[in-house]
């Protein structure tokens, strides 16, 4: 008998014989039918068909055909047409072992189906399974035994008692497993991969046996406990023994997985030690973490569903797993870190499910990982493995709920240590997401004790220790997150009764300061500002409390003073750590603090900060642009101070004179001009509505500091600067700006006070007109040279407060800014319109104002 | 007998109860006529053979004869007696001419020994002018050998009626088949014919003459090829009835062969002629695959072979020939090489 060359041929041969067999059955010619059945079974002997798909397809066809035969055999037996016991012997004359066994099983199962009491049913089952040993070819043997299990399905349950069924199925499983494991040694060595693929495709046949076992156990109506005993004592040890003995990776991984999947999860809880024991004996190449994951998942399912305590025989699941992990650590140092990681994260999940409050357990696990990390000395290679490893670390180190995160950080000191020791990239990610969690759910975040606070502070260490490397743009972002996190942290402490008092808060902030101080200069530059802000908040809070509880005034007074000292210290430290690059911000922080001190009517302190700011300005602010901005900022702050003047010593005067002096000494004339005319406001205090001041106060009580003489001096000084600028356009523009200031003072102050008179304004207008004329000439000359410029894109050109040129597109209103340094490149013609336009707008305003204010009528436009 | 001269007398031999008797179907001897079947009535040892001889005279002619004789004959026929030796053929021809013996199945086979020849006269000399019938009986006829039809040797039984005449005798033979059944009591083992078991695989045989008392003990064999294959096999016993089942197992102690399959075959060996130039003929009666694929160390393969469905020859032995049966275990590896191991078993017929 030759074999078909291909699947279609084999299939057609099977079909043909099936038809012949059916015909023979119709004619009740059993011998012929058996002959055809035997012939079609020959196709299954074909060694040429690859087992996956093709052989399976063929098997399915054969299975259907033999099913028909079984049906006929059972009916025939019942009608007395033949006796199946005779047929059972008869089919054994088949010369080839494979068809013989298929027929034997067909007839045998038919015989069992008849449920004839006279037939030694158990003997037949035993015989069938015993004779199956004749097929030692892995693929054919697997399918044959699968056939046996399919044909006896249901029969075992209905006819046999549990021990027999289990022995039967276990035996079949063991043999199938052996065949399956052996499959890898078939064929030439170079086809090893192909074999592995085939094995994976055939694994389901082996797995089906375990499924059958679980079905038999579960279908048995007998005492559940008894079933479990059977499982523990007979089934599981057998399976595990096979698994261990096979020493085969695929087999061990698959079977363990299947055992976990098919048997009831409450069984796993009871046999967890046996299962773990078995995994420890497996082939070193087995991915323990994967199979343990399945087990853990099953256990979790059980614990969650039954709300069980997660204990086995008085020991908690965690203890069992912990012991296992320790043992693995000793015996299997070869397990890769990434796998250990996965294992541990599974155990963590388990612990979180069974005993979520037990942070000691978690601490143990973190400590284990910490040691492992050290052992493996995480290197920088971005292999796939490490990428995955980092991913796992990040998953492991992050939480979903802020309360949980808080609990872990507080109770597991090893957590923070671990965080420090993992791969920098993972560390970065983990910290970022952890901090963000705290920020996102800050409403739920409560820090109860100082101890907790200190432990949480430990988180700053990994976060602030990060050093920005090339291409790591996220580091500064993380620093910013740390800064935000500090706020959230302090806010979380204020929810605790214990930590709310000012003295406590001061302590906490000092601790925070110390923690942040440890960081890199980069992180200090980010975080210190938020620290300083926190101090400010505390000051405000003290002030608030002081007003609420006057009897404690003195103690609050001292705390406030003390806090200002801390702020000063912080600013100094910030400067010392970060260096000159941060000068600008140090300047501003000083001014802000000064302003706060002023608001609290603490002139000495305020003055001190102002002087600090001025010192910074004088010593380190060297960039002319920044200097200009600093002056602007300074004047803003100073103009709004109120307390400086009230003391015997006139701090205010001292400060404004010094500021104006600095303003007039700025490098560029434009800057000088603008800075000085802004300084003019320092002699003209205005009301601050938020303090409840009104303009009336100024007139009635002379409360505001106003000195017209100095004011006019400033304006004149400014005008001098403007006049001396060689650039006609700049000069004109500045004059128009000065004109605007004059008009402001004209409106808000009497001439007697401000010394700004209508005549002065008229003179200024005259001067501007003259200058504009000459500028116009200049512009016309240029336009002649270049006709096309008039058709340039329709833009409106303006000048900003700081001298930058703004271009506003007339069509869509888009603004583009050209810095003043670049202004020289612009053509005069284009820029000449700036002062002219400005002047026109100002004139229009004057005319408009004339309708309201008679004084304006005297201004000649 | 020529077809041109019809025999003047027609002899018919009918055995008593022939219709109801069990028959044995056989292929007619001779390779060319293999498809022709014949069916012979079956007798046992010690069974009487009785029947009726009817002589019919053709066309009412009368025939003189010198008497009618009935005889029962058992003979051993052979094609070759011993490796081309002519002396015995001379002897045979003499025997042949004397008693006009011939083999009815295969003309090539010549009788070498007539171990049974009983005859008596049915009627004295006289004239036969009408059909006449004569009953005959050979009471409790002992039959020494089983009927056998082999390649070189036949054991045949027949009843022969001879009408003796002055000219050529007219005779007619009626064949029948004989089975000898062994008692269920432990059979007496015939002296073992020398000649050790051949072993192509170079395996060493450990079978020894089994004393009659331990015949039911299992047969164990331990064979192997160094560093390649080591198996142990076991049959339930060394003697089997033809209705028996051979049960056994094969245990693989070591296997480095890539086995494609393994089969069990039953070999029937016909040894004929006299020593030293005897003539061996083997025929495979059963081929039975018992394993598919390559086993691993420690695997046990079950053997179960029902014998009753096959047409087998029990062991026989006499001076002229003997029949022996061997179980042959054959392992075929993936390159088609065959490794085999024979072991003798004894088959006997029981009821």
């Amino acid at each position: 008998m030759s074999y078909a060359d291909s699947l279609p041929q084999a299939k057609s041969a099977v079909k043909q014989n099936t038809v012949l067999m059916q015909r023979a059955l119709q004619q009740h010619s059993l011998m012929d039918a058996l002959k055809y059945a035997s012939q079609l079974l020959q196709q299954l002997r074909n060694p040429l068909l690859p087992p996956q798909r093709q052989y399976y397809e063929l098997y399915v066809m054969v299975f259907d055909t033999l099913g028909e035969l079984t049906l006929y055999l059972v009916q025939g037996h019942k009608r007395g047409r033949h006796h199946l016991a005779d047929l059972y012997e008869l089919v054994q004359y088949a010369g080839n072992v494979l068809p013989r066994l298929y027929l034997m099983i067909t007839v045998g199962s038919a015989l069992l189906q008849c449920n004839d009491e006279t037939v030694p049913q158990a003997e037949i089952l035993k015989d069938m399974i015993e004779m199956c040993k004749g097929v030692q070819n892995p693929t054919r043997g697997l399918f044959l035994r699968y056939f046996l299990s399919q044909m006896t399905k249901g029969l075992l349950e209905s006819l046999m008692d549990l021990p027999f069924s289990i022995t039967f199925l276990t035996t079949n499983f063991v043999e199938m497993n052996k065949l399956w494991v052996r499959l890898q040694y078939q064929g030439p060595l170079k086809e090893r991969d192909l074999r592995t693929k085939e094995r994976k495709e055939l694994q389901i046949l082996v797995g089906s046996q375990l499924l059958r076992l679980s079905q038999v156990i579960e279908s048995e109506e007998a005492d559940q406990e008894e079933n479990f005993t059977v499982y523990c004592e007979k089934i599981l040890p057998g399976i595990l023994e096979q698994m261990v003995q096979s020493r085969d990776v695929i087999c061990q991984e698959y079977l363990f997985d299947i055992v976990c999947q098919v048997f009831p999860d409450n069984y796993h809880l009871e046999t967890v030690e046996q299962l773990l024991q078995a995994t420890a004996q497996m082939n070193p190449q087995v991915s323990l973490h994967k199979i343990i994951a399945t087990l853990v998942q099953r256990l979790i399912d059980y614990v969650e569903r039954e709300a069980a305590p997660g204990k086995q025989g008085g020991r908690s699941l965690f203890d069992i797993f912990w012991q296992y992990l320790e043992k693995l650590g000793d015996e299997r140092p070869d397990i890769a870190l990434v796998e250990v990681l996965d294992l541990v994260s599974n155990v963590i999940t388990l612990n979180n499910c069974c005993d979520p409050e037990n942070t000691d357990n978690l601490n143990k696990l973190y400590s284990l990982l910490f040691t492992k990390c050290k052992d493996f000395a995480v290197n920088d290679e971005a292999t796939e493995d490490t990428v995955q490893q980092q991913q796992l670390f990040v998953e492991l180190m992050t939480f979903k709920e802020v309360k949980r995160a808080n609990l872990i950080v507080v109770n597991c000191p090893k957590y923070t240590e671990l965080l420090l020791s993992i791969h920098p990239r993972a560390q970065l990610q983990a910290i970022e997401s952890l901090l963000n969690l705290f920020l996102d759910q800050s409403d739920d975040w409560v820090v109860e004790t100082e101890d907790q606070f200190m432990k949480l502070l430990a988180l700053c260490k990994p976060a602030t220790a990060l050093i920005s490397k090339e291409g790591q743009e996220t580091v500064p972002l993380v620093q910013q997150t740390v800064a935000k996190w500090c706020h959230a942290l302090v806010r979380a402490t204020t929810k605790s009764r214990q930590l709310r008092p000012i003295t406590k808060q001061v302590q906490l902030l000092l601790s925070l300061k110390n923690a942040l101080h440890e960081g890199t200069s980069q992180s200090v530059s980010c975080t210190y500002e938020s620290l300083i802000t926190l101090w400010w908040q505390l000051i405000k809070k003290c002030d608030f409390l002081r007003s609420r509880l006057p009897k404690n005034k003195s103690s609050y007074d001292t705390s406030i003073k003390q806090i200002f000292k801390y702020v000063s210290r912080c600013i100094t430290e910030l400067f010392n750590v970060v260096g000159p690059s941060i000068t600008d911000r140090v300047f501003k922080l000083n001014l802000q603090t000064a302003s706060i001190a002023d608001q609290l009517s603490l002139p000495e302190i305020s003055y001190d900060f102002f002087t600090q700011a001025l010192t910074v300005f004088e010593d380190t602010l060297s960039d002319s642009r920044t200097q200009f901005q600093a002056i602007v900022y300074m004047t803003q702050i100073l103009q709004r101070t109120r307390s400086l003047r009230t003391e015997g010593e006139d701090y205010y005067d001292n400060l404004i004179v010094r500021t104006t002096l600095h303003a007039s000494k700025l490098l560029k004339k434009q800057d000088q001009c603008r800075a000085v005319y802004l300084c003019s406001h320092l002699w003209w205090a205005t009301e601050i509505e938020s303090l409840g001041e009104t303009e009336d106060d100024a007139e009635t009580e002379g409360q505001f500091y106003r000195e017209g003489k100095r004011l006019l001096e400033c304006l004149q000084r400014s005008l001098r600067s403007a006049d001396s600028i060689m650039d006609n356009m700049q000069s004109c523009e500045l004059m128009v700006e000065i004109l605007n200031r004059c008009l402001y003072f004209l409106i808000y102050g009497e001439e007697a006070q401000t010394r700004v008179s209508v005549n002065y304004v008229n003179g200024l207008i005259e001067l501007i007109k003259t200058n504009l004329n000459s500028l116009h000439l200049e512009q016309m000359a240029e336009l002649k040279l270049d006709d096309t410029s008039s058709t340039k894109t329709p833009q409106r050109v303006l000048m900003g407060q700081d001298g930058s040129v703004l271009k506003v597109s007339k069509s869509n209103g888009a603004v583009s800014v050209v810095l003043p340094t670049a202004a020289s490149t612009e053509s005069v013609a284009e820029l000449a319109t700036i002062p002219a336009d400005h002047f026109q707008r100002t004139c229009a305003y004057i005319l408009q104002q004339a309708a309201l204010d008679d004084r304006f009528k005297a201004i000649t436009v | 007998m020529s077809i041109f001269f019809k025999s003047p007398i027609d002899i018919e031999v009918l055995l008593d109860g022939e219709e109801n008797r069990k028959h044995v179907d056989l292929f007619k001897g001779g390779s060319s006529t293999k498809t022709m079947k014949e069916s012979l009535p079956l007798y046992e040892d010690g069974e009487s053979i009785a029947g009726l001889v009817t002589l019919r005279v053709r066309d009412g002619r009368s025939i003189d004869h010198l008497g009618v004789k009935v005889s029962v004959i058992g003979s051993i026929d052979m094609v070759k007696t011993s490796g081309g030796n002519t002396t015995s053929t001379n002897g045979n021809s003499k025997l042949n001419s004397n008693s006009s013996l011939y083999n009815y199945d295969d003309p090539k086979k010549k009788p070498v020994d007539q171990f049974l020849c009983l005859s008596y006269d049915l009627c004295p000399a006289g004239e036969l002018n009408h059909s006449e019938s004569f009953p005959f009986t050979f009471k409790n006829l002992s039959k020494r050998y089983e009927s056998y039809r082999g390649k070189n040797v036949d054991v045949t039984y027949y009843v022969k009626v001879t009408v003796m005449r002055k000219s050529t005798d007219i005779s007619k033979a009626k064949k029948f088949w004989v089975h000898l059944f062994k008692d269920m009591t432990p059979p007496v083992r015939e002296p073992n014919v020398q000649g050790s078991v051949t072993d192509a695989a170079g395996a060493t045989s450990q079978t020894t003459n089994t004393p009659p008392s331990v015949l039911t003990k299992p047969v164990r064999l331990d064979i192997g090829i160094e560093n390649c294959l080591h198996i142990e096999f076991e049959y339930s016993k060394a003697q089997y009835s033809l209705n028996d089942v051979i049960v056994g197992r094969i245990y693989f102690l070591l296997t480095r062969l890539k086995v494609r399959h393994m089969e069990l075959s039953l070999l029937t060996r016909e040894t004929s002629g006299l020593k030293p130039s005897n003539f061996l003929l083997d025929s495979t009666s059963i081929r039975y695959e018992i394993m598919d694929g390559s086993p691993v160390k420690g695997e046990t393969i079950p053997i179960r072979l029902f014998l009753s469905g096959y047409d087998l020859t029990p062991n026989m032995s006499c001076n002229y020939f003997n029949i022996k049966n061997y179980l042959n275990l054959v392992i075929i590896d993936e390159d088609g090489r065959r490794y085999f191991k024979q072991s003798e078993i004894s088959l006997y017929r029981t009821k």
Side-chain angles (χ1 to χ4, degrees), chain A residues 149-160 212 216:
Chain A
S149 100
Q150 275 190 307
M151 293 302 275
T152 53
K153 190 173 178 179
L155 292 173
L156 279 180
E157 286 94 326
S158 60
L159 298 177
M160 295 294 139
R212 286 282 296 124
V216 166

Side-chain angles (χ1 to χ4, degrees), chain A residues 68-312:
Chain A
E68 284 176 44
L69 183 60
T70 314
L71 210 64
Y72 177 86
L73 289 174
V74 173
Q75 286 170 357
H77 182 83
K78 284 181 178 160
R79 289 176 193 160
R81 231 180 267 138
H82 47 76
H83 198 283
L84 283 170
D86 298 338
L87 288 180
Y88 189 67
E89 185 183 321
L90 183 79
V91 293
Q92 293 187 43
Y93 284 104
N96 287 118
V97 65
L98 194 76
R100 182 196 313 150
L101 288 169
Y102 271 99
L103 287 174
M104 261 175 81
I105 293 167
T106 310
V107 177
S109 60
L111 185 55
L112 294 172
Q113 274 181 41
C114 296
N115 201 5
D116 188 341
E117 290 296 323
T118 59
V119 173
Q121 291 164 332
E123 295 307 313
I124 286 175
L125 283 167
K126 274 187 200 161
D127 187 58
M128 290 196 292
I129 200 163
E130 175 65 19
M131 295 313 276
C132 279
K133 280 192 164 176
V135 180
Q136 293 289 332
N137 175 283
T139 310
R140 297 196 279 275
L142 274 173
F143 277 98
L144 175 70
R145 287 182 179 275
Y146 182 59
F147 181 70
L148 175 65
S149 100
Q150 275 190 307
M151 293 302 275
T152 53
K153 190 173 178 179
L155 292 173
L156 279 180
E157 286 94 326
S158 60
L159 298 177
M160 295 294 139
D161 57 354
L162 187 61
F164 183 91
S165 303
I166 284 169
T167 316
F168 184 84
L169 288 170
T170 312
T171 313
N172 204 32
F173 158 73
V174 168
E175 292 297 330
M176 280 178 91
N177 187 44
K178 279 190 203 159
L179 291 171
W180 182 53
V181 171
R182 205 189 297 164
L183 183 61
Q184 65 187 308
Y185 305 114
Q186 298 283 305
L189 208 61
K190 61 185 175 191
E191 288 178 11
R192 193 70 188 268
D193 290 346
L194 184 68
R195 291 287 102 78
T196 309
K197 191 167 157 269
E198 286 173 3
R199 288 190 63 202
K200 293 230 163 141
E201 278 165 348
L202 290 176
Q203 66 187 17
I204 187 145
L205 299 180
V206 184
S208 71
Q209 296 308 298
L210 296 182
L211 186 64
R212 286 282 296 124
L213 273 171
S214 80
Q215 284 168 347
V216 166
I217 276 217
E218 285 177 71
S219 75
E220 195 66 24
E221 283 159 14
D223 191 5
Q224 281 300 315
E225 219 160 281
E226 201 175 305
N227 285 349
F228 175 67
T229 320
V230 170
Y231 172 78
C232 270
E233 288 171 5
K234 292 183 86 175
I235 300 178
L236 188 63
I239 298 171
L240 293 180
E241 195 192 338
Q242 279 306 309
M243 212 185 285
V244 171
Q245 280 180 358
S246 74
R247 294 201 293 274
D248 174 63
V249 179
I250 299 177
C251 163
Q252 292 178 339
E253 287 184 1
Y254 177 70
L255 289 185
F256 195 89
D257 198 54
I258 288 292
V259 167
C260 291
Q261 303 283 3
V262 299
F263 289 106
D265 42 19
N266 53 331
Y267 286 14
H268 298 320
L269 181 66
E270 297 299 323
T271 55
V272 64
E273 278 178 274
Q274 268 172 283
L275 290 170
L276 290 178
Q277 170 85 23
T279 62
Q281 298 169 348
M282 284 185 181
N283 187 318
Q285 283 168 294
V286 167
S287 321
L288 284 179
H289 60 288
K290 284 187 194 152
I291 61 177
I292 294 291
T294 319
L295 177 63
V296 167
Q297 193 50 49
R298 291 285 287 166
L299 291 172
I300 289 175
D301 287 350
Y302 176 72
V303 170
E304 280 181 352
R305 195 182 65 238
E306 303 284 325
K311 280 197 164 119
Q312 192 264 311

